[in-house]
């Protein structure tokens, strides 16, 4: 089984500032996908951003971008201009040839007004 | 928009009871998944299904079973509930296209076993 590690259980950021959430993973596969999901308090988990491992270009989605370092097996999420609505639990996830998602343990992000 | 509906947001049951958690999706997705979410452990896959009447064990299937009689419905069954099965349960679905397709999640069922 693949392992996904999120080493920051909790993070905080001032409103309008930038924050980076870390994720590393362990795999011997060369072809895989990485995802960041957001789970607001008492609300549904939704997809934030997705990255294909064969693409060198880092994925971006409005204020959300990733820093994908394939050799280092690192996949961090940067949130720019943080907003109160960004407060949530964030999960990093891996999808490979096993046809299932492997999730990290999550990072709880607090946005300070 | 994809809608994944879980039958209950909160459920309280007693030890030894047989518990059914229901999940329905409305987008004709082939894949359906049941996860358990616990603090500090993230999401762990219990069972998944790629087609009607198909099921595959995930990482923690012990104490659980599933049923998929119709494409849109995927049920999780706790055969004899125990207190260590108190948790948040999440259902998800995705389409079966080439490459990894994002999963769409339900709101979750917070299950307490007394």
């Amino acid at each position: 089984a693949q392992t996904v590690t999120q080493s920051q259980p909790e993070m905080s950021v001032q409103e309008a500032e930038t924050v980076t959430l870390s994720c590393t993973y362990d795999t011997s596969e060369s072809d895989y996908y990485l995802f960041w999901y957001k789970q607001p308090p008492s609300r549904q988990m939704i997809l934030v951003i997705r990255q294909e491992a064969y693409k060198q270009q880092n994925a971006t989605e409005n204020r959300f971008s990733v820093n994908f370092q394939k050799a280092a097996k690192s996949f961090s999420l940067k949130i720019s201009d943080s907003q109160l609505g960004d407060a949530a639990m964030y999960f990093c996830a891996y999808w490979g040839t096993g046809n299932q998602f492997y999730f990290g343990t999550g990072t709880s992000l607090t946005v300070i007004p | 928009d994809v809608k994944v509906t879980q039958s209950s947001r909160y459920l309280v049951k007693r030890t030894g009871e047989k518990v059914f958690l229901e999940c329905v999706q409305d987008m004709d997705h082939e894949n359906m998944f049941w996860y358990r979410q616990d603090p500090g452990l993230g999401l762990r896959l219990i069972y998944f299904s790629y087609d009607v009447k198909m099921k595959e064990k995930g990482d923690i299937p012990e104490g659980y079973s599933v049923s998929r009689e119709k494409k849109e419905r995927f049920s999780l069954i706790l055969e004899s509930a125990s207190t260590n099965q108190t948790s948040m349960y999440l259902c998800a679905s995705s389409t079966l296209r080439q490459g990894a397709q994002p999963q769409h999640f339900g709101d979750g069922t917070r299950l307490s076993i007394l």
Side-chain angles (χ1 to χ4, degrees):
Chain A
Q2 318 302 333
T3 56
V4 179
T5 302
Q6 293 179 250
S7 58
Q8 306 152 316
E10 297 176 346
M11 292 280 286
S12 62
V13 62
Q14 291 284 147
E15 197 174 3
E17 297 295 310
T18 296
V19 65
T20 298
L21 309 184
S22 301
C23 173
T24 59
Y25 56 94
D26 184 27
T27 186
S28 57
E29 298 174 335
S30 58
D31 190 18
Y32 51 88
Y33 298 76
L34 297 163
F35 300 78
W36 278 98
Y37 280 88
K38 169 185 176 181
Q39 186 181 40
S42 301
R43 292 185 63 187
Q44 201 174 63
M45 188 168 320
I46 56 174
L47 177 69
V48 175
I49 201 163
R50 156 187 158 150
Q51 173 83 41
E52 291 91 342
Y54 63 85
K55 288 187 177 178
Q56 292 189 342
Q57 186 174 6
N58 289 326
T60 62
E61 194 70 45
N62 300 317
R63 295 182 296 107
F64 298 87
S65 62
V66 298
N67 184 5
F68 174 47
Q69 303 286 332
K70 191 172 184 178
K73 297 178 184 175
S74 170
F75 183 60
S76 60
L77 175 70
K78 185 170 83 170
I79 307 173
S80 304
D81 186 25
S82 296
Q83 301 175 359
L84 295 177
D86 294 333
M89 182 73 81
Y90 287 82
F91 291 96
C92 178
Y94 171 103
W95 174 284
T97 56
N99 276 341
Q100 67 178 73
F101 277 81
Y102 294 93
F103 287 85
T105 51
T107 296
S108 178
L109 179 66
T110 300
V111 180
I112 303 166
Chain B
D1 264 2
V2 175
K3 185 76 172 173
V4 179
T5 303
Q6 294 184 230
S7 53
S8 305
R9 288 297 300 271
Y10 301 94
L11 204 54
V12 180
K13 296 291 183 181
R14 297 211 172 270
T15 303
E17 279 193 73
K18 190 169 186 176
V19 181
F20 293 85
L21 302 184
E22 306 288 346
C23 176
V24 177
Q25 50 93 4
D26 66 359
M27 283 300 290
D28 202 35
H29 282 174
E30 294 82 3
N31 304 330
M32 296 190 75
F33 305 82
W34 274 107
Y35 294 93
R36 172 176 171 159
Q37 182 179 4
D38 298 288
L41 297 178
L43 276 71
R44 292 179 291 168
L45 182 64
I46 304 171
Y47 268 97
F48 58 104
S49 170
Y50 291 136
D51 201 351
V52 175
K53 297 192 186 296
M54 275 195 55
K55 60 182 179 183
E56 296 283 343
K57 292 181 180 179
D59 298 318
I60 52 164
E62 295 78 19
Y64 304 94
S65 62
V66 290
S67 173
R68 193 160 181 205
E69 295 297 320
K70 293 185 177 181
K71 190 176 185 179
E72 67 270 18
R73 185 180 298 269
F74 192 36
S75 304
L76 179 68
I77 304 156
L78 285 67
E79 297 290 343
S80 177
S82 63
T83 55
N84 62 12
Q85 292 178 309
T86 292
S87 187
M88 170 72 88
Y89 290 87
L90 295 176
C91 176
S93 74
S94 68
T95 188
L96 187 66
R97 289 204 303 262
Q98 189 174 2
Q101 298 303 317
Q103 296 193 332
H104 300 267
F105 286 85
D107 288 339
T109 296
R110 190 166 292 282
L111 175 64
S112 296
I113 307 297
L114 305 179

